[in-house]
Structures are given as C-alpha cells and as structure tokens.
Amino acid sequence: YPPSGPNTSTTLLSDCTCTPKRDNKASLRSKRRLMRLIKTFTMASRIFSNARILFPRALQAHASTSSVEAPALIRGFAANASPGTKAKVVVFGGNGFVGSYVCKALLGMGVDVTSINRSGQITYPEWDHWWSNVTWVKGDALEPETWKSQLEGATGVVSCVGAFGNNQFMEKVCGDATVAMVEAAKAANVKNFVFISAHDYQLPSFVLSGYVAGKKKAEVAVAQHFPSTGVSLRPGFIHGTRYVLGGVPVPLSYIGTPMENVLRSENVKQLRASQPMLDRFLVPPTRVEDIASVAAKAAAGVGGSIPAGPMSAGDIPSFAK
C-alpha cells in the first residue's frame, strides 16, 4: 500500500517497487505479482487494439446487434416500409462473401431477406447472429423449379452467384444461372434486379474466358428485362473481412485498403487520364460494405438514387454514401 501523509506524492507503482523495511521475500513476491498484473494488462490492451485494427467493421456490427432499436441504420438509410409491410428481397448466394454483406445491409434497412443457396443456412460469425434473421432456402440457381415460389411478392432480387473452374463451368454458373434468375424474376413481376458482375480487365481470350463470357451474358439479360430498374455492379478486387472454413476471419482489407487509397489518389487518376491503355488495369479495389450498400439500396428501391445499368468500380463508393 502507498504511504499516507502530506508529503507522499509517489505513485502506487513506485511505492511497490521500492525496498520496504519489511521482509525481503514478501517484497519480492509482491513485485512479482505486480509485474504479472502489468504484463497481463498490457497484453490485453494490445489484443484489443489489434482487434480494432483488424476487424473494425466486425466490432461495429457486434455493437449494433446488441441494440434493441429498430430498424437499424446502414450508412444512414432506414427501411422504406412500415412495420408489417416490409419489402422483401431475395438474395442468391447469401452465404458467400459478398452475399452475406448484402443480406446484412438489407436487414439493417428493415427488409425481409430470403437467401437461396445450395448449402443452406450459415451459423457464423458467432458474435453477430444476423444470419438468424434471414430465411434460408436450399436451392440450385440452375434449377428454377426449386426456388421460383420464393420470388412471389419480392421487391427485388440480388444475384451474388459466381464460381471458378473450366470455361464451360464458369460460363454456366456466372452467366446461365443469373439469366435464369432474371427471367424468373421478370415473370414474377419483381421490380428490381441487381447483379454482382466484375470489372473486365480485357485479358487474353485464353484467361478466364468462360468467367468473362458468363458475366457479360448475365449483364445483357439484366439490361433487356430490367432496362430501368436493373443494376450490374462491376467491382475489381473486393476487400473486407471474409469468413472461410466455417467462420475463420480473413482481413482482406489489410491488402485492399492501401491499394484502394493509392489507386484512388489524384496522381493515379492523372496517370489513367494520360495513359488510356493503363485505365483498365489501374482499377481501385472496392470495400465489400460499399458493394453491399449499393446492391441493397437498388434491390429494395430505396430513394431511387441508384442509376440503372452497369456501375464501375470507381463509381460504387460514391453511391454507397
């Protein structure tokens, strides 16, 4: 304990580390306990600081889910439907990287969300149970009969489906699957359709040709069937916290954020303007939260501020604000 008296202004730490008149062994034990306490506190502080750096969005989401206020706000956009008359949006691939963020953004806007995917419900991350508020339906995007009924009464549809493989497989999953969704949505009188496409780097024809062909085929279908309410987002590299292996977080923003800051700088903009050949390669990465925000707003028809047609990676953040 610190000494008492009018002339004692030393701190607890200095008092405990000085040599008292009591038994030296007892003093040594006290100092050891104090040092262990300091080390424990320091380690805890570092862990928390690193968590804030690595997963800032995750901590914010955790805080928001503990609130009982409804509806929650996502970037300042509240639900445009009153309780009991919520808008409904169907998300294909809602258990994937982009799809899960789209579902969360829609839930934050007070929208009823149905996700259609082959594996069904996810149960991660454990600290944020947003997935428990989604209606999960097992279905294959290439088999419309398994999910057509889910489109009844829907305001919008979001396609987050995509895959890599051989060219035939990629064109089928990245293109034909979304074409089937577009046609079914149109037949069900769904108002809005959003497709998560990709930036075209204009690579040689032997590089991912099936992937590119599939995305283009899907974009054409969206434009034909939803000319005034269809949106195709074209991001490049997408960064954010991605969950793999059943819930292991991978902070892609460690790479994506510095790259995005550089490629959105004025110097790079001037370089792209002066060297058109470089323009297709110097595409800035896009935050997954920005993509989800734009997709959710367009699908739910919030505000009518999202223009129809394709949207480049450079324009997505401005419409996410």
Side-chain angles (χ1 to χ4, degrees):
Y1 296 93
S4 59
N7 297 321
T8 56
S9 59
T10 55
T11 63
L12 176 62
L13 179 60
S14 62
D15 289 328
C16 290
T17 55
C18 66
T19 303
K21 296 180 180 180
R22 295 184 302 171
D23 183 61
N24 289 334
K25 291 184 178 180
S27 174
L28 183 60
R29 286 195 297 269
S30 297
K31 287 192 286 185
R32 286 176 177 173
R33 285 196 295 266
L34 179 60
M35 293 305 298
R36 284 197 295 268
L37 179 62
I38 293 173
K39 288 180 179 179
T40 301
F41 178 79
T42 302
M43 184 177 297
S45 299
R46 289 176 178 175
I47 292 173
F48 181 73
S49 298
N50 290 336
R52 291 181 62 187
I53 296 172
L54 288 173
F55 315 114
R57 301 284 166 186
L59 293 175
Q60 291 174 8
H62 177 59
S64 66
T65 54
S66 63
S67 174
V68 296
E69 296 180 2
L73 296 179
I74 294 293
R75 289 186 169 271
F77 298 100
N80 65 336
S82 58
T85 59
K86 288 184 178 180
K88 174 186 175 182
V89 172
V90 178
V91 180
F92 285 84
N95 62 347
F97 178 34
V98 177
S100 61
Y101 280 85
V102 172
C103 289
K104 288 178 63 176
L106 287 165
L107 289 172
M109 293 164 60
V111 176
D112 280 336
V113 182
T114 296
S115 175
I116 299 173
N117 42 271
R118 290 188 296 176
S119 57
Q121 178 176 347
I122 59 175
T123 56
Y124 56 83
E126 294 182 355
W127 48 260
D128 184 1
H129 289 191
W130 64 266
W131 36 265
S132 62
N133 297 315
V134 175
T135 300
W136 298 93
V137 177
K138 282 189 176 183
D140 191 324
L142 291 166
E143 299 176 2
E145 297 303 325
T146 64
W147 46 260
K148 272 186 176 180
S149 61
Q150 300 296 329
L151 301 182
E152 296 178 4
T155 303
V157 170
V158 182
S159 171
C160 304
V161 174
F164 292 98
N166 61 51
N167 287 327
Q168 183 180 2
F169 174 76
M170 288 190 291
E171 185 169 354
K172 190 175 183 180
V173 175
C174 299
D176 296 339
T178 296
V179 171
M181 298 174 209
V182 169
E183 294 174 348
K186 187 66 176 180
N189 295 318
V190 175
K191 183 179 180 182
N192 308 309
F193 197 99
V194 180
F195 173 49
I196 307 301
S197 186
H199 172 74
D200 184 5
Y201 289 93
Q202 300 179 31
L203 299 174
S205 59
F206 59 85
V207 180
L208 298 176
S209 59
Y211 182 88
V212 175
K215 292 289 188 180
K216 289 183 176 180
K217 182 187 294 186
E219 285 193 16
V220 170
V222 173
Q224 288 179 345
H225 293 279
F226 294 88
S228 59
T229 57
V231 179
S232 294
L233 303 180
R234 295 174 172 175
F237 173 63
I238 302 172
H239 66 95
T241 301
R242 182 169 191 165
Y243 294 91
V244 299
L245 302 176
V248 179
V250 179
L252 297 177
S253 289
Y254 252 21
I255 301 172
T257 298
M259 288 177 59
E260 182 173 9
N261 291 337
V262 170
L263 293 175
R264 292 191 187 278
S265 66
E266 289 299 322
N267 289 336
V268 174
K269 289 180 180 179
Q270 293 174 9
L271 177 62
R272 292 172 62 183
S274 62
Q275 302 292 333
M277 291 295 294
L278 297 177
D279 187 61
R280 67 178 185 266
F281 299 111
L282 299 177
V283 177
T286 308
R287 294 172 62 247
V288 66
E289 293 91 344
D290 289 341
I291 297 170
S293 176
V294 175
K297 289 162 60 181
V302 175
S305 59
I306 308 299
M311 183 179 295
S312 69
D315 292 332
I316 291 174
S318 60
F319 286 99
K321 296 178 180 178

